[in-house]
Amino acid sequence: MSDKYYMEHSASESDWLNWFIRNEKNQYKGTQTTIDLVVLKFIDQQLCVLMTQRRTHPFKNQWALPGSYLHDDEEPEDTIQRIFSEKIGQIYTKQNSYLMQLETYAARNRDPRGRVVSTAYIVYTHQNFKKNDNLAWKPLIETGQQPNLAFDHADILFDAYLRTKDQFTWQPNSLYSLGDSGGFSLGEIVKLKAYLFQQDYREINRANLRKKLLPFLEDSGQKEKISFYKVKS
């Protein structure tokens, strides 16, 4: 077992940091650029975020957003595709998702290894995901309130929640998190709104909500007793 492997996987955080400063700090001179993904899907009446449990220092065993450094030969879209492939084990498909840039995070001490500037993207999706023991879907609001997330990812989750809530009635991209390839029902829209605004879904006026969102919706083509929608392209 190499010293590097032991320090990253088995040593305490403080021992790892001392080793890192002595042996690898010089590799992180200057500003590094990363991309973090806030992947959101509506599951069991909650808007959930895909989190990964870190296996190495810093923040070993703590939950974090899937992310990666932006390689010199990559465009941001290439890095996003690579994060999906390497960290999530999926192929990112635009057909089942909506991608939007959230914010850039550049606090000087957000990463103990050095100056790291991260651009966060929200991915609203209804695609199916393979089981992965290192990943978990967690409720967005409740997870963002946890004190032990890695880096500044609690701040990113809070910003993602506020952006999603703010845009719900005038740019409802979060509807991409609903249903499946066959579309979604008005009932699912109501429960998404109830979660975002922390309401009882039974108290939401379904007719008024449908009227507000109808300009963004079209019939999914599903022939069922209830109407199924998809977001207008």
Side-chain angles (χ1 to χ4, degrees):
M1 181 187 298
S2 67
D3 287 347
K4 178 180 174 64
Y5 185 92
Y6 172 79
M7 284 297 172
E8 290 182 340
H9 292 81
S10 302
S12 67
E13 182 99 359
S14 60
D15 286 346
W16 164 81
L17 185 56
N18 290 331
W19 174 87
F20 175 83
I21 292 171
R22 292 194 307 269
N23 294 276
E24 294 195 341
K25 182 74 171 178
N26 289 338
Q27 300 178 25
Y28 287 79
K29 284 185 176 179
T31 300
Q32 307 290 319
T33 305
T34 62
I35 287 178
D36 289 309
L37 298 184
V38 185
V39 182
L40 298 174
K41 183 176 181 179
F42 195 68
I43 303 171
D44 295 333
Q45 303 187 33
Q46 295 175 312
L47 187 61
C48 293
V49 58
L50 189 63
M51 303 292 288
T52 180
Q53 192 168 30
R54 291 182 58 80
R55 296 178 176 175
T56 61
H57 294 301
F59 305 105
K60 183 185 173 188
N61 295 327
Q62 293 179 239
W63 290 99
L65 295 167
S68 181
Y69 288 98
L70 180 68
H71 294 172
D72 289 341
D73 60 348
E74 289 181 329
E75 297 293 340
E77 293 79 7
D78 300 324
T79 307
I80 291 169
Q81 292 278 6
R82 182 167 54 79
I83 294 169
F84 263 85
S85 175
E86 295 179 357
K87 301 293 182 71
I88 301 175
Q90 297 280 132
I91 296 175
Y92 171 70
T93 58
K94 294 182 179 180
Q95 181 180 359
N96 297 316
S97 307
Y98 184 90
L99 173 72
M100 62 180 287
Q101 185 172 321
L102 174 61
E103 188 62 81
T104 296
Y105 298 84
R108 185 169 59 89
N109 295 321
R110 63 183 302 273
D111 191 318
R113 293 169 293 190
R115 189 66 184 271
V116 178
V117 176
S118 181
T119 300
Y121 288 81
I122 298 177
V123 182
Y124 300 109
T125 185
H126 57 261
Q127 74 179 90
N128 294 320
F129 286 73
K130 301 173 186 175
K131 181 176 175 55
N132 187 321
D133 292 338
N134 199 46
L135 300 171
W137 290 101
K138 294 179 172 289
L140 173 62
I141 298 173
E142 294 81 354
T143 303
Q145 295 170 347
Q146 293 181 4
N148 59 342
L149 298 183
F151 306 102
D152 53 359
H153 290 182
D155 295 333
I156 297 176
L157 290 181
F158 183 69
D159 291 343
Y161 164 62
L162 291 183
R163 178 71 62 85
T164 302
K165 180 181 177 183
D166 177 64
Q167 293 186 344
F168 182 76
T169 54
W170 62 273
Q171 192 177 350
N173 299 316
S174 57
L175 297 181
Y176 279 91
S177 70
L178 296 175
D180 52 31
S181 58
F184 49 85
S185 67
L186 178 59
E188 290 174 289
I189 300 174
V190 169
K191 290 176 181 177
L192 173 60
K193 181 179 188 295
Y195 179 78
L196 291 174
F197 291 84
Q198 296 292 277
Q199 296 174 277
D200 186 329
Y201 75 91
R202 293 166 295 188
E203 297 177 357
I204 294 175
N205 188 309
R206 297 164 66 97
N208 285 348
L209 180 60
R210 181 181 180 276
K211 183 178 180 180
K212 286 181 180 179
L213 294 180
L214 200 57
F216 305 100
L217 303 173
E218 61 185 20
D219 190 277
S220 71
Q222 292 289 101
K223 301 303 180 182
E224 302 287 348
K225 292 182 179 179
I226 61 174
S227 297
F228 279 83
Y229 304 96
K230 61 181 181 179
V231 184
K232 280 185 178 177
S233 55

